[in-house]
Amino acid sequence: NKTERANRLELLKTELSFFEDLPEIVPFSAENGEGVESLREILEEISERILKIKLQIFLLKEQSKKQVR
């Protein structure tokens, strides 16, 4: 039920509070769809960051090749 779930979530947050820089906890349910949109947004943001980093690495390598020539 909702009370048990809320209690478990609070317990999890308490246990994880000992670690620094942990990301937000996103409750998720495949049964009722809770959290799906939040996780989708997080994954899209991560994907965008990875693509930007890969592009920067590629451009730096290309720039390095031009300097060698």
Side-chain angles (χ1 to χ4, degrees):
N1 71 31
K2 290 183 179 183
T3 304
E4 289 175 355
R5 187 174 168 278
N7 289 339
R8 286 193 308 269
L9 188 57
E10 280 304 311
L11 180 62
L12 180 62
K13 287 179 181 179
T14 301
E15 290 174 357
L16 294 177
S17 68
F18 297 106
F19 300 97
E20 295 179 13
D21 300 327
L22 282 178
E24 171 187 358
I25 295 174
V26 180
F28 175 83
S29 171
E31 291 180 5
N32 66 21
E34 177 188 12
V36 170
E37 189 58 35
S38 295
L39 290 177
R40 183 176 287 125
E41 290 172 6
I42 291 168
L43 291 172
E44 285 177 5
E45 182 180 332
I46 291 169
S47 295
E48 288 176 11
R49 288 180 184 184
I50 290 171
L51 286 174
K52 287 178 182 178
I53 291 169
K54 285 185 172 187
L55 177 60
Q56 289 174 344
I57 291 170
F58 173 78
L59 293 174
L60 286 171
K61 285 181 178 179
E62 289 299 308
Q63 184 180 15
S64 177
K65 287 179 188 177
K66 288 179 182 181
Q67 289 178 353
V68 171
R69 294 179 188 167

Short mmCIF file of all heavy atoms in Angstrom, two decimals:
data_model
loop_
_atom_site.label_atom_id
_atom_site.label_comp_id
_atom_site.label_asym_id
_atom_site.label_seq_id
_atom_site.Cartn_x
_atom_site.Cartn_y
_atom_site.Cartn_z
N ASN A 1 0.83 -1.19 0.00
CA ASN A 1 0.00 0.00 0.00
C ASN A 1 0.87 1.26 0.00
O ASN A 1 2.09 1.19 0.14
CB ASN A 1 -1.00 -0.04 1.15
CG ASN A 1 -0.38 0.14 2.54
OD1 ASN A 1 0.62 0.81 2.68
ND2 ASN A 1 -0.97 -0.47 3.53
N LYS A 2 0.22 2.39 -0.11
CA LYS A 2 0.96 3.65 -0.24
C LYS A 2 1.79 4.00 0.99
O LYS A 2 2.88 4.55 0.88
CB LYS A 2 0.00 4.80 -0.57
CG LYS A 2 -0.57 4.72 -1.96
CD LYS A 2 -1.44 5.91 -2.26
CE LYS A 2 -1.99 5.82 -3.67
NZ LYS A 2 -2.78 7.01 -4.02
N THR A 3 1.27 3.68 2.17
CA THR A 3 2.00 3.99 3.41
C THR A 3 3.27 3.16 3.51
O THR A 3 4.34 3.70 3.83
CB THR A 3 1.10 3.72 4.64
OG1 THR A 3 -0.09 4.48 4.51
CG2 THR A 3 1.82 4.11 5.91
N GLU A 4 3.17 1.87 3.22
CA GLU A 4 4.35 1.01 3.25
C GLU A 4 5.38 1.48 2.23
O GLU A 4 6.58 1.52 2.52
CB GLU A 4 3.96 -0.44 2.96
CG GLU A 4 3.20 -1.10 4.06
CD GLU A 4 2.72 -2.49 3.66
OE1 GLU A 4 2.90 -2.89 2.49
OE2 GLU A 4 2.17 -3.18 4.54
N ARG A 5 4.91 1.82 1.06
CA ARG A 5 5.80 2.30 0.00
C ARG A 5 6.51 3.58 0.42
O ARG A 5 7.71 3.74 0.23
CB ARG A 5 5.00 2.53 -1.27
CG ARG A 5 5.83 2.84 -2.46
CD ARG A 5 4.90 2.88 -3.68
NE ARG A 5 5.60 3.45 -4.78
CZ ARG A 5 5.76 4.76 -4.98
NH1 ARG A 5 5.23 5.61 -4.15
NH2 ARG A 5 6.43 5.20 -6.01
N ALA A 6 5.77 4.51 0.99
CA ALA A 6 6.36 5.77 1.46
C ALA A 6 7.40 5.51 2.54
O ALA A 6 8.46 6.13 2.55
CB ALA A 6 5.27 6.70 1.96
N ASN A 7 7.09 4.59 3.45
CA ASN A 7 8.04 4.24 4.51
C ASN A 7 9.31 3.62 3.94
O ASN A 7 10.41 3.94 4.38
CB ASN A 7 7.40 3.29 5.52
CG ASN A 7 6.35 3.98 6.37
OD1 ASN A 7 6.33 5.19 6.50
ND2 ASN A 7 5.45 3.19 6.93
N ARG A 8 9.15 2.72 2.97
CA ARG A 8 10.32 2.09 2.34
C ARG A 8 11.17 3.12 1.61
O ARG A 8 12.40 3.10 1.65
CB ARG A 8 9.88 0.98 1.39
CG ARG A 8 9.40 -0.26 2.09
CD ARG A 8 9.28 -1.45 1.14
NE ARG A 8 8.49 -1.17 -0.04
CZ ARG A 8 7.18 -1.38 -0.16
NH1 ARG A 8 6.50 -1.88 0.84
NH2 ARG A 8 6.56 -1.11 -1.29
N LEU A 9 10.50 4.04 0.94
CA LEU A 9 11.23 5.09 0.22
C LEU A 9 12.01 5.98 1.18
O LEU A 9 13.17 6.31 0.92
CB LEU A 9 10.25 5.92 -0.61
CG LEU A 9 10.84 6.94 -1.57
CD1 LEU A 9 11.79 6.29 -2.56
CD2 LEU A 9 9.74 7.67 -2.31
N GLU A 10 11.42 6.35 2.29
CA GLU A 10 12.11 7.16 3.29
C GLU A 10 13.29 6.40 3.89
O GLU A 10 14.37 6.96 4.10
CB GLU A 10 11.16 7.60 4.39
CG GLU A 10 10.31 8.79 4.02
CD GLU A 10 11.13 9.99 3.57
OE1 GLU A 10 12.10 10.37 4.28
OE2 GLU A 10 10.81 10.56 2.51
N LEU A 11 13.11 5.12 4.16
CA LEU A 11 14.19 4.29 4.69
C LEU A 11 15.34 4.21 3.68
O LEU A 11 16.51 4.35 4.05
CB LEU A 11 13.68 2.89 5.02
CG LEU A 11 14.70 1.91 5.58
CD1 LEU A 11 15.26 2.43 6.91
CD2 LEU A 11 14.07 0.54 5.78
N LEU A 12 15.00 4.03 2.43
CA LEU A 12 16.03 3.98 1.39
C LEU A 12 16.80 5.30 1.31
O LEU A 12 18.02 5.31 1.24
CB LEU A 12 15.39 3.66 0.04
CG LEU A 12 16.33 3.56 -1.15
CD1 LEU A 12 17.34 2.44 -0.95
CD2 LEU A 12 15.53 3.33 -2.42
N LYS A 13 16.09 6.40 1.36
CA LYS A 13 16.75 7.72 1.33
C LYS A 13 17.68 7.89 2.53
O LYS A 13 18.76 8.44 2.41
CB LYS A 13 15.71 8.84 1.30
CG LYS A 13 15.00 8.96 -0.02
CD LYS A 13 13.97 10.07 0.02
CE LYS A 13 13.24 10.21 -1.28
NZ LYS A 13 12.21 11.27 -1.26
N THR A 14 17.23 7.42 3.69
CA THR A 14 18.05 7.51 4.89
C THR A 14 19.32 6.67 4.75
O THR A 14 20.42 7.13 5.06
CB THR A 14 17.26 7.04 6.13
OG1 THR A 14 16.10 7.86 6.26
CG2 THR A 14 18.10 7.13 7.38
N GLU A 15 19.16 5.44 4.28
CA GLU A 15 20.31 4.56 4.10
C GLU A 15 21.30 5.11 3.08
O GLU A 15 22.51 5.02 3.25
CB GLU A 15 19.85 3.17 3.69
CG GLU A 15 19.14 2.42 4.79
CD GLU A 15 18.55 1.11 4.34
OE1 GLU A 15 18.64 0.78 3.14
OE2 GLU A 15 17.99 0.40 5.18
N LEU A 16 20.78 5.69 2.02
CA LEU A 16 21.65 6.21 0.96
C LEU A 16 22.23 7.58 1.28
O LEU A 16 23.12 8.04 0.58
CB LEU A 16 20.89 6.26 -0.36
CG LEU A 16 20.50 4.90 -0.94
CD1 LEU A 16 19.69 5.09 -2.22
CD2 LEU A 16 21.71 4.03 -1.19
N SER A 17 21.73 8.21 2.32
CA SER A 17 22.22 9.56 2.66
C SER A 17 23.69 9.55 3.09
O SER A 17 24.33 10.59 3.12
CB SER A 17 21.36 10.18 3.75
OG SER A 17 21.55 9.49 4.98
N PHE A 18 24.22 8.37 3.38
CA PHE A 18 25.63 8.28 3.77
C PHE A 18 26.56 8.45 2.57
O PHE A 18 27.74 8.68 2.72
CB PHE A 18 25.90 6.93 4.45
CG PHE A 18 25.13 6.76 5.73
CD1 PHE A 18 24.04 5.91 5.79
CD2 PHE A 18 25.48 7.48 6.86
CE1 PHE A 18 23.32 5.76 6.97
CE2 PHE A 18 24.76 7.34 8.04
CZ PHE A 18 23.69 6.48 8.09
N PHE A 19 26.01 8.30 1.37
CA PHE A 19 26.81 8.45 0.16
C PHE A 19 26.60 9.84 -0.40
O PHE A 19 25.48 10.35 -0.45
CB PHE A 19 26.41 7.41 -0.89
CG PHE A 19 26.59 6.00 -0.42
CD1 PHE A 19 25.53 5.28 0.10
CD2 PHE A 19 27.84 5.40 -0.47
CE1 PHE A 19 25.70 3.98 0.54
CE2 PHE A 19 28.02 4.11 -0.04
CZ PHE A 19 26.95 3.39 0.47
N GLU A 20 27.68 10.44 -0.86
CA GLU A 20 27.58 11.78 -1.42
C GLU A 20 27.27 11.71 -2.91
O GLU A 20 27.60 10.74 -3.59
CB GLU A 20 28.90 12.53 -1.22
CG GLU A 20 29.23 12.79 0.22
CD GLU A 20 30.55 13.51 0.39
OE1 GLU A 20 31.09 14.02 -0.59
OE2 GLU A 20 31.03 13.56 1.53
N ASP A 21 26.65 12.74 -3.43
CA ASP A 21 26.41 12.91 -4.86
C ASP A 21 25.61 11.79 -5.51
O ASP A 21 25.84 11.45 -6.66
CB ASP A 21 27.73 13.09 -5.61
CG ASP A 21 28.50 14.30 -5.13
OD1 ASP A 21 27.85 15.29 -4.74
OD2 ASP A 21 29.73 14.27 -5.15
N LEU A 22 24.67 11.22 -4.78
CA LEU A 22 23.79 10.24 -5.38
C LEU A 22 22.69 10.97 -6.14
O LEU A 22 22.21 12.02 -5.71
CB LEU A 22 23.15 9.34 -4.33
CG LEU A 22 24.03 8.24 -3.79
CD1 LEU A 22 23.28 7.46 -2.72
CD2 LEU A 22 24.49 7.29 -4.87
N PRO A 23 22.27 10.43 -7.27
CA PRO A 23 21.19 11.07 -8.01
C PRO A 23 19.86 10.92 -7.28
O PRO A 23 19.74 10.16 -6.33
CB PRO A 23 21.17 10.32 -9.34
CG PRO A 23 21.79 9.01 -9.05
CD PRO A 23 22.77 9.24 -7.93
N GLU A 24 18.90 11.61 -7.77
CA GLU A 24 17.55 11.56 -7.21
C GLU A 24 16.98 10.14 -7.32
O GLU A 24 17.21 9.43 -8.29
CB GLU A 24 16.67 12.53 -8.01
CG GLU A 24 15.22 12.46 -7.73
CD GLU A 24 14.40 13.31 -8.69
OE1 GLU A 24 14.98 13.99 -9.55
OE2 GLU A 24 13.18 13.29 -8.56
N ILE A 25 16.22 9.74 -6.34
CA ILE A 25 15.54 8.45 -6.39
C ILE A 25 14.22 8.67 -7.12
O ILE A 25 13.43 9.56 -6.76
CB ILE A 25 15.27 7.91 -4.97
CG1 ILE A 25 16.59 7.61 -4.27
CG2 ILE A 25 14.40 6.66 -5.04
CD1 ILE A 25 16.44 7.22 -2.82
N VAL A 26 14.00 7.89 -8.16
CA VAL A 26 12.77 8.01 -8.94
C VAL A 26 11.94 6.74 -8.72
O VAL A 26 12.29 5.68 -9.23
CB VAL A 26 13.06 8.18 -10.44
CG1 VAL A 26 11.77 8.29 -11.23
CG2 VAL A 26 13.95 9.39 -10.68
N PRO A 27 10.86 6.85 -7.97
CA PRO A 27 9.99 5.68 -7.82
C PRO A 27 9.45 5.27 -9.18
O PRO A 27 9.09 6.11 -10.00
CB PRO A 27 8.85 6.19 -6.92
CG PRO A 27 9.43 7.37 -6.21
CD PRO A 27 10.39 7.98 -7.19
N PHE A 28 9.41 3.96 -9.42
CA PHE A 28 9.03 3.46 -10.74
C PHE A 28 8.13 2.25 -10.59
O PHE A 28 8.34 1.40 -9.73
CB PHE A 28 10.28 3.06 -11.52
CG PHE A 28 9.98 2.42 -12.84
CD1 PHE A 28 9.71 3.19 -13.94
CD2 PHE A 28 9.95 1.04 -12.96
CE1 PHE A 28 9.42 2.61 -15.17
CE2 PHE A 28 9.67 0.44 -14.18
CZ PHE A 28 9.40 1.23 -15.29
N SER A 29 7.11 2.18 -11.43
CA SER A 29 6.24 1.01 -11.47
C SER A 29 5.94 0.66 -12.92
O SER A 29 5.39 1.47 -13.66
CB SER A 29 4.93 1.29 -10.73
OG SER A 29 4.01 0.22 -10.96
N ALA A 30 6.29 -0.56 -13.30
CA ALA A 30 5.95 -1.04 -14.63
C ALA A 30 4.46 -1.36 -14.71
O ALA A 30 3.89 -1.37 -15.80
CB ALA A 30 6.77 -2.28 -14.96
N GLU A 31 3.85 -1.57 -13.57
CA GLU A 31 2.43 -1.92 -13.55
C GLU A 31 1.52 -0.72 -13.82
O GLU A 31 0.59 -0.82 -14.59
CB GLU A 31 2.06 -2.55 -12.21
CG GLU A 31 2.67 -3.92 -12.01
CD GLU A 31 2.28 -4.54 -10.68
OE1 GLU A 31 1.46 -3.95 -9.94
OE2 GLU A 31 2.81 -5.63 -10.38
N ASN A 32 1.80 0.40 -13.18
CA ASN A 32 0.91 1.55 -13.34
C ASN A 32 1.56 2.72 -14.08
O ASN A 32 0.94 3.75 -14.28
CB ASN A 32 0.36 2.01 -11.99
CG ASN A 32 1.41 2.58 -11.06
OD1 ASN A 32 2.49 3.00 -11.49
ND2 ASN A 32 1.11 2.60 -9.78
N GLY A 33 2.82 2.57 -14.49
CA GLY A 33 3.48 3.60 -15.29
C GLY A 33 4.09 4.73 -14.50
O GLY A 33 4.63 5.68 -15.08
N GLU A 34 4.02 4.66 -13.18
CA GLU A 34 4.59 5.73 -12.36
C GLU A 34 6.09 5.82 -12.61
O GLU A 34 6.80 4.82 -12.64
CB GLU A 34 4.36 5.44 -10.88
CG GLU A 34 5.00 6.49 -9.99
CD GLU A 34 4.94 6.12 -8.51
OE1 GLU A 34 4.64 4.98 -8.19
OE2 GLU A 34 5.23 7.02 -7.70
N GLY A 35 6.57 7.01 -12.82
CA GLY A 35 7.99 7.26 -12.97
C GLY A 35 8.53 7.07 -14.37
O GLY A 35 9.67 7.41 -14.65
N VAL A 36 7.71 6.55 -15.27
CA VAL A 36 8.19 6.27 -16.62
C VAL A 36 8.66 7.56 -17.31
O VAL A 36 9.75 7.61 -17.87
CB VAL A 36 7.10 5.57 -17.48
CG1 VAL A 36 7.50 5.50 -18.94
CG2 VAL A 36 6.83 4.19 -16.92
N GLU A 37 7.85 8.58 -17.25
CA GLU A 37 8.21 9.84 -17.93
C GLU A 37 9.44 10.48 -17.29
O GLU A 37 10.32 10.99 -17.99
CB GLU A 37 7.03 10.82 -17.91
CG GLU A 37 7.25 12.03 -18.78
CD GLU A 37 7.51 11.70 -20.24
OE1 GLU A 37 6.94 10.73 -20.76
OE2 GLU A 37 8.33 12.42 -20.86
N SER A 38 9.54 10.43 -15.97
CA SER A 38 10.72 10.98 -15.29
C SER A 38 11.98 10.25 -15.73
O SER A 38 13.00 10.88 -16.03
CB SER A 38 10.57 10.87 -13.78
OG SER A 38 9.52 11.66 -13.32
N LEU A 39 11.92 8.92 -15.76
CA LEU A 39 13.09 8.15 -16.18
C LEU A 39 13.43 8.40 -17.65
O LEU A 39 14.59 8.50 -18.01
CB LEU A 39 12.87 6.66 -15.94
CG LEU A 39 12.85 6.25 -14.48
CD1 LEU A 39 12.55 4.76 -14.35
CD2 LEU A 39 14.17 6.56 -13.80
N ARG A 40 12.42 8.55 -18.47
CA ARG A 40 12.65 8.85 -19.90
C ARG A 40 13.39 10.18 -20.04
O ARG A 40 14.35 10.29 -20.81
CB ARG A 40 11.32 8.88 -20.64
CG ARG A 40 11.48 9.10 -22.14
CD ARG A 40 10.15 9.02 -22.88
NE ARG A 40 9.74 7.62 -22.92
CZ ARG A 40 8.56 7.17 -22.49
NH1 ARG A 40 7.68 8.02 -21.98
NH2 ARG A 40 8.25 5.91 -22.57
N GLU A 41 12.97 11.18 -19.28
CA GLU A 41 13.62 12.49 -19.35
C GLU A 41 15.06 12.41 -18.87
O GLU A 41 15.96 13.01 -19.46
CB GLU A 41 12.83 13.50 -18.51
CG GLU A 41 11.50 13.87 -19.11
CD GLU A 41 10.65 14.72 -18.18
OE1 GLU A 41 11.13 15.13 -17.10
OE2 GLU A 41 9.48 14.97 -18.54
N ILE A 42 15.29 11.66 -17.79
CA ILE A 42 16.65 11.50 -17.26
C ILE A 42 17.54 10.81 -18.29
O ILE A 42 18.67 11.23 -18.55
CB ILE A 42 16.63 10.72 -15.93
CG1 ILE A 42 15.98 11.58 -14.84
CG2 ILE A 42 18.03 10.28 -15.52
CD1 ILE A 42 15.65 10.81 -13.56
N LEU A 43 17.03 9.74 -18.90
CA LEU A 43 17.81 9.01 -19.90
C LEU A 43 18.10 9.87 -21.13
O LEU A 43 19.20 9.81 -21.70
CB LEU A 43 17.09 7.72 -20.30
CG LEU A 43 17.03 6.67 -19.20
CD1 LEU A 43 16.12 5.52 -19.64
CD2 LEU A 43 18.40 6.17 -18.85
N GLU A 44 17.13 10.67 -21.55
CA GLU A 44 17.36 11.57 -22.68
C GLU A 44 18.45 12.59 -22.36
O GLU A 44 19.31 12.89 -23.19
CB GLU A 44 16.07 12.27 -23.07
CG GLU A 44 15.10 11.37 -23.80
CD GLU A 44 13.78 12.04 -24.12
OE1 GLU A 44 13.62 13.27 -23.86
OE2 GLU A 44 12.88 11.35 -24.63
N GLU A 45 18.41 13.13 -21.15
CA GLU A 45 19.42 14.11 -20.74
C GLU A 45 20.82 13.47 -20.72
O GLU A 45 21.79 14.05 -21.20
CB GLU A 45 19.09 14.67 -19.36
CG GLU A 45 20.07 15.73 -18.90
CD GLU A 45 19.71 16.27 -17.53
OE1 GLU A 45 18.53 16.28 -17.15
OE2 GLU A 45 20.65 16.69 -16.82
N ILE A 46 20.91 12.26 -20.17
CA ILE A 46 22.19 11.56 -20.14
C ILE A 46 22.68 11.29 -21.56
O ILE A 46 23.86 11.50 -21.87
CB ILE A 46 22.06 10.25 -19.34
CG1 ILE A 46 21.85 10.55 -17.86
CG2 ILE A 46 23.29 9.36 -19.55
CD1 ILE A 46 21.46 9.36 -17.02
N SER A 47 21.79 10.86 -22.43
CA SER A 47 22.16 10.58 -23.82
C SER A 47 22.68 11.84 -24.51
O SER A 47 23.68 11.79 -25.24
CB SER A 47 20.96 10.04 -24.60
OG SER A 47 20.57 8.79 -24.09
N GLU A 48 22.01 12.96 -24.28
CA GLU A 48 22.46 14.23 -24.87
C GLU A 48 23.85 14.61 -24.37
O GLU A 48 24.70 15.06 -25.14
CB GLU A 48 21.46 15.34 -24.57
CG GLU A 48 20.17 15.21 -25.34
CD GLU A 48 19.14 16.26 -24.95
OE1 GLU A 48 19.49 17.23 -24.23
OE2 GLU A 48 17.99 16.12 -25.37
N ARG A 49 24.08 14.43 -23.09
CA ARG A 49 25.40 14.76 -22.52
C ARG A 49 26.48 13.87 -23.13
O ARG A 49 27.57 14.34 -23.46
CB ARG A 49 25.39 14.59 -21.01
CG ARG A 49 24.61 15.65 -20.28
CD ARG A 49 24.66 15.41 -18.79
NE ARG A 49 23.84 16.36 -18.06
CZ ARG A 49 23.78 16.42 -16.75
NH1 ARG A 49 24.48 15.58 -16.01
NH2 ARG A 49 23.02 17.31 -16.16
N ILE A 50 26.19 12.59 -23.27
CA ILE A 50 27.16 11.66 -23.86
C ILE A 50 27.47 12.05 -25.30
O ILE A 50 28.63 12.05 -25.71
CB ILE A 50 26.65 10.21 -23.76
CG1 ILE A 50 26.68 9.76 -22.31
CG2 ILE A 50 27.48 9.27 -24.64
CD1 ILE A 50 25.99 8.43 -22.06
N LEU A 51 26.43 12.37 -26.06
CA LEU A 51 26.65 12.78 -27.45
C LEU A 51 27.50 14.04 -27.54
O LEU A 51 28.38 14.15 -28.40
CB LEU A 51 25.32 12.98 -28.16
CG LEU A 51 24.55 11.71 -28.50
CD1 LEU A 51 23.18 12.05 -29.07
CD2 LEU A 51 25.34 10.86 -29.48
N LYS A 52 27.26 15.01 -26.66
CA LYS A 52 28.06 16.23 -26.66
C LYS A 52 29.52 15.94 -26.34
O LYS A 52 30.42 16.49 -26.97
CB LYS A 52 27.49 17.24 -25.66
CG LYS A 52 26.21 17.88 -26.11
CD LYS A 52 25.66 18.84 -25.06
CE LYS A 52 24.35 19.44 -25.50
NZ LYS A 52 23.76 20.34 -24.51
N ILE A 53 29.74 15.06 -25.38
CA ILE A 53 31.11 14.70 -25.01
C ILE A 53 31.79 13.99 -26.17
O ILE A 53 32.95 14.27 -26.50
CB ILE A 53 31.12 13.84 -23.73
CG1 ILE A 53 30.70 14.68 -22.53
CG2 ILE A 53 32.49 13.20 -23.51
CD1 ILE A 53 30.43 13.88 -21.27
N LYS A 54 31.08 13.05 -26.81
CA LYS A 54 31.66 12.33 -27.95
C LYS A 54 31.99 13.29 -29.09
O LYS A 54 33.03 13.16 -29.74
CB LYS A 54 30.70 11.25 -28.44
CG LYS A 54 30.66 10.05 -27.53
CD LYS A 54 29.79 8.95 -28.12
CE LYS A 54 29.92 7.68 -27.31
NZ LYS A 54 29.23 6.55 -27.93
N LEU A 55 31.12 14.27 -29.32
CA LEU A 55 31.40 15.26 -30.37
C LEU A 55 32.62 16.09 -30.01
O LEU A 55 33.48 16.34 -30.87
CB LEU A 55 30.18 16.17 -30.56
CG LEU A 55 30.35 17.29 -31.57
CD1 LEU A 55 30.66 16.74 -32.96
CD2 LEU A 55 29.11 18.16 -31.60
N GLN A 56 32.75 16.49 -28.77
CA GLN A 56 33.92 17.26 -28.35
C GLN A 56 35.20 16.46 -28.52
O GLN A 56 36.21 16.98 -28.98
CB GLN A 56 33.78 17.69 -26.89
CG GLN A 56 32.72 18.75 -26.67
CD GLN A 56 32.50 19.06 -25.20
OE1 GLN A 56 32.90 18.30 -24.33
NE2 GLN A 56 31.85 20.19 -24.94
N ILE A 57 35.15 15.18 -28.17
CA ILE A 57 36.33 14.32 -28.34
C ILE A 57 36.68 14.19 -29.81
O ILE A 57 37.85 14.31 -30.19
CB ILE A 57 36.08 12.93 -27.70
CG1 ILE A 57 36.01 13.06 -26.19
CG2 ILE A 57 37.16 11.93 -28.13
CD1 ILE A 57 35.53 11.80 -25.49
N PHE A 58 35.68 13.98 -30.65
CA PHE A 58 35.92 13.87 -32.09
C PHE A 58 36.56 15.14 -32.63
O PHE A 58 37.54 15.09 -33.38
CB PHE A 58 34.60 13.58 -32.82
CG PHE A 58 34.73 13.61 -34.30
CD1 PHE A 58 35.27 12.54 -35.00
CD2 PHE A 58 34.30 14.72 -35.02
CE1 PHE A 58 35.40 12.58 -36.37
CE2 PHE A 58 34.41 14.76 -36.39
CZ PHE A 58 34.97 13.69 -37.08
N LEU A 59 36.00 16.29 -32.26
CA LEU A 59 36.53 17.56 -32.76
C LEU A 59 37.95 17.81 -32.27
O LEU A 59 38.79 18.32 -33.03
CB LEU A 59 35.61 18.71 -32.35
CG LEU A 59 34.23 18.71 -33.00
CD1 LEU A 59 33.35 19.80 -32.40
CD2 LEU A 59 34.32 18.83 -34.50
N LEU A 60 38.25 17.43 -31.04
CA LEU A 60 39.60 17.59 -30.52
C LEU A 60 40.59 16.69 -31.28
O LEU A 60 41.70 17.10 -31.59
CB LEU A 60 39.65 17.27 -29.02
CG LEU A 60 39.04 18.33 -28.11
CD1 LEU A 60 38.95 17.80 -26.69
CD2 LEU A 60 39.83 19.62 -28.16
N LYS A 61 40.17 15.48 -31.59
CA LYS A 61 41.03 14.57 -32.36
C LYS A 61 41.28 15.11 -33.76
O LYS A 61 42.40 15.05 -34.25
CB LYS A 61 40.39 13.17 -32.44
CG LYS A 61 40.48 12.39 -31.16
CD LYS A 61 39.85 11.00 -31.32
CE LYS A 61 39.97 10.19 -30.06
NZ LYS A 61 39.36 8.85 -30.20
N GLU A 62 40.23 15.64 -34.38
CA GLU A 62 40.39 16.21 -35.71
C GLU A 62 41.31 17.42 -35.68
O GLU A 62 42.16 17.59 -36.55
CB GLU A 62 39.02 16.58 -36.30
CG GLU A 62 38.16 15.40 -36.66
CD GLU A 62 38.80 14.52 -37.72
OE1 GLU A 62 39.21 15.04 -38.77
OE2 GLU A 62 38.89 13.30 -37.48
N GLN A 63 41.16 18.25 -34.68
CA GLN A 63 42.01 19.43 -34.53
C GLN A 63 43.46 18.99 -34.32
O GLN A 63 44.38 19.58 -34.87
CB GLN A 63 41.52 20.28 -33.35
CG GLN A 63 42.28 21.55 -33.17
CD GLN A 63 41.75 22.33 -31.98
OE1 GLN A 63 41.00 21.82 -31.14
NE2 GLN A 63 42.13 23.60 -31.89
N SER A 64 43.65 17.98 -33.52
CA SER A 64 44.99 17.45 -33.26
C SER A 64 45.64 16.91 -34.53
O SER A 64 46.82 17.13 -34.80
CB SER A 64 44.92 16.36 -32.21
OG SER A 64 46.18 15.79 -31.98
N LYS A 65 44.85 16.22 -35.37
CA LYS A 65 45.36 15.70 -36.64
C LYS A 65 45.81 16.83 -37.55
O LYS A 65 46.83 16.72 -38.21
CB LYS A 65 44.28 14.89 -37.35
CG LYS A 65 43.99 13.55 -36.75
CD LYS A 65 42.89 12.85 -37.52
CE LYS A 65 42.44 11.59 -36.86
NZ LYS A 65 41.31 10.95 -37.60
N LYS A 66 45.06 17.92 -37.58
CA LYS A 66 45.40 19.06 -38.43
C LYS A 66 46.68 19.73 -37.96
O LYS A 66 47.48 20.22 -38.76
CB LYS A 66 44.25 20.06 -38.46
CG LYS A 66 43.07 19.57 -39.26
CD LYS A 66 41.94 20.57 -39.24
CE LYS A 66 40.74 20.04 -40.00
NZ LYS A 66 39.64 21.01 -40.00
N GLN A 67 46.91 19.75 -36.66
CA GLN A 67 48.11 20.40 -36.12
C GLN A 67 49.35 19.57 -36.42
O GLN A 67 50.43 20.13 -36.57
CB GLN A 67 47.95 20.61 -34.62
CG GLN A 67 46.95 21.66 -34.26
CD GLN A 67 46.77 21.83 -32.76
OE1 GLN A 67 47.30 21.06 -31.97
NE2 GLN A 67 45.99 22.83 -32.37
N VAL A 68 49.21 18.27 -36.52
CA VAL A 68 50.33 17.38 -36.80
C VAL A 68 50.79 17.55 -38.25
O VAL A 68 51.96 17.46 -38.56
CB VAL A 68 49.97 15.90 -36.50
CG1 VAL A 68 51.05 14.96 -36.98
CG2 VAL A 68 49.69 15.72 -35.03
N ARG A 69 49.86 17.82 -39.15
CA ARG A 69 50.17 17.96 -40.58
C ARG A 69 50.91 19.19 -40.88
O ARG A 69 51.33 20.05 -40.63
CB ARG A 69 48.89 17.95 -41.40
CG ARG A 69 48.18 16.64 -41.33
CD ARG A 69 46.92 16.69 -42.13
NE ARG A 69 46.15 15.47 -41.89
CZ ARG A 69 44.91 15.32 -42.25
NH1 ARG A 69 44.28 16.25 -42.89
NH2 ARG A 69 44.28 14.22 -42.00
#
